[in-house]
Amino acid sequence: DVRLRRIIIFALWVAGSLPLLHAQSPSIPDAPNARFSSRVSSGTGQEYTPPTQKELLHDYLLDLAGPYPIFTGAASAGIHMATDSPPEWGQGSVAFGKRFASSFGTGAVETTTRYGLGAALKEDTLYYPCEYTGVFPRIRHAIVSSFTARRTADGSRVFSIPSVVAPYAGAFTGIYGWYPGRYGAGNALRMGDNGLLSYVGGNIALEFLAGGSHPMLSRLHITIPNGGGRSAMQ
């Protein structure tokens, strides 16, 4: 199966990149500015500390129903309206509402799966931007980080089952929960693939747009004033 071979090859590539990613910064493996986190950092030299339960709840709620998921849900609904997908839902305001609810619901399941499995496996799945400069190193970092997470015990990076499983959990829930009956497992797998690619693309965008002292996306962020640049977006 071509899909299985690609997944195995990519998993091996990610696993081989872990030592390089870990070696990038001994004291702070990555600058603690999370994908959708309220946590902040005092700057260079700070050791990794796992998020608190309060921070995780804050991040989860923003990731679940903040400005970013609402915007992406609306954008996805617009695209599917333009392509008339699925055609059974038709056109018009009611059809747009169905597509928006579908996209939002799929994202909610994906987010809940990522956070829930992360908590169960004691993994910090938040995104940590690269400490290094250069376009290609930062892109590589964003891609690898999309498939890895930190162990909350020591901050070491591991292959992240929650990050990989979450898009497919959302896709299968949507396909078997509210999509027309003619859709099945093949459609769910393709939707999950697209969700995983979107997650990677989102991390790449955040690596370049949400970093620095004046992040372009900061107006979508809510921060807990504690001194640094780790902020919540979604």
Side-chain angles (χ1 to χ4, degrees):
D1 183 82
V2 176
R3 185 192 303 273
L4 180 59
R5 287 200 299 268
R6 288 177 178 174
I7 292 174
I8 292 173
I9 291 172
F10 192 82
L12 291 173
W13 180 77
V14 171
S17 299
L18 289 177
L20 175 63
L21 197 62
H22 180 72
Q24 284 183 346
S25 178
S27 58
I28 303 183
D30 308 288
N33 180 13
R35 177 180 174 86
F36 307 121
S37 171
S38 59
R39 303 188 65 215
V40 292
S41 166
S42 60
T44 305
Q46 179 177 342
E47 294 289 345
Y48 168 80
T49 54
T52 65
Q53 292 299 315
K54 178 181 178 180
E55 289 168 340
L56 281 175
L57 178 60
H58 179 262
D59 302 338
Y60 167 70
L61 292 177
L62 287 172
D63 202 355
L64 182 72
Y68 187 78
I70 292 174
F71 171 79
T72 55
S76 176
I79 292 172
H80 286 96
M81 284 284 288
T83 58
D84 197 27
S85 175
E88 289 89 341
W89 290 352
Q91 295 291 314
S93 58
V94 174
F96 181 86
K98 288 182 179 179
R99 291 180 171 96
F100 174 81
S102 174
S103 177
F104 191 86
T106 299
V109 173
E110 179 178 341
T111 297
T112 301
T113 301
R114 182 177 293 112
Y115 277 86
L117 275 181
L121 298 176
K122 301 187 184 303
E123 292 183 7
D124 178 359
T125 58
L126 298 173
Y127 181 72
Y128 293 78
C130 185
E131 277 279 280
Y132 280 68
T133 58
V135 173
F136 291 108
R138 294 175 71 185
I139 290 177
R140 175 187 173 90
H141 170 88
I143 294 173
V144 173
S145 296
S146 301
F147 297 86
T148 60
R150 296 183 181 279
R151 292 191 187 279
T152 54
D154 57 11
S156 62
R157 280 202 179 271
V158 294
F159 185 81
S160 176
I161 293 176
S163 295
V164 175
V165 168
Y168 295 94
F172 272 88
T173 300
I175 289 296
Y176 289 103
W178 52 79
Y179 263 68
R182 66 184 178 85
Y183 288 85
N187 303 102
L189 287 173
R190 284 191 291 273
M191 186 186 295
D193 292 343
N194 292 334
L196 194 57
L197 288 175
S198 297
Y199 183 63
V200 174
N203 279 342
I204 292 174
L206 286 167
E207 174 62 38
F208 290 95
L209 299 181
S213 58
H214 300 286
M216 294 175 63
L217 302 181
S218 62
R219 292 183 181 180
L220 295 178
H221 293 201
I222 299 176
T223 60
I224 295 177
N226 190 28
R230 191 169 185 178
S231 55
M233 175 176 150
Q234 208 169 353

